[in-house]
Amino acid sequence: PKEYIRKLRIERAAELLRSSDTITVAEVAYMTGFNTPQYFSTVFRAYYNMLPSEYQNQQIMLFNIDNRVNLKENTEKRKSGQ
């Protein structure tokens, strides 16, 4: 049960990190029930094999790339009259 709850907390933390580029790792740590950002980072790294800040930056980059692709596709559709 303890491991299951920790997993849920880490998954929620990942969701929070993906949702905003302005939220800090420390804020996410406290919001998900971890006593210290350091311990949170250790546990997060065990699950995702990267630090929470690295995960957040990666997700932001992927989001930006996806948005550029969608923008390009929409622009091409408008040009072709679709």
Side-chain angles (χ1 to χ4, degrees):
K2 197 161 70 168
E3 185 61 32
Y4 175 73
I5 291 172
R6 183 180 298 136
K7 181 180 181 227
L8 290 178
R9 289 164 58 200
I10 287 296
E11 288 173 355
R12 175 64 179 143
E15 184 180 316
L16 289 167
L17 290 167
R18 283 192 306 270
S19 71
S20 172
D21 61 346
T22 59
I23 196 167
T24 67
V25 170
E27 289 171 323
V28 171
Y30 295 125
M31 288 170 71
T32 53
F34 289 88
N35 291 329
T36 68
Q38 293 81 7
Y39 179 64
F40 166 68
S41 292
T42 300
V43 174
F44 190 95
R45 188 174 197 162
Y47 277 86
Y48 287 96
N49 205 28
M50 66 179 75
L51 294 171
S53 56
E54 295 170 332
Y55 179 86
Q56 187 176 38
N57 290 334
Q58 179 188 68
Q59 295 302 308
I60 291 166
M61 272 194 328
L62 291 173
F63 177 78
N64 289 336
I65 289 169
D66 190 45
N67 278 347
R68 280 189 294 228
V69 168
N70 288 337
L71 179 63
K72 183 178 178 185
E73 288 172 354
N74 289 338
T75 302
E76 289 171 358
K77 283 180 184 178
R78 276 197 310 266
K79 286 181 181 178
S80 68
Q82 291 180 338

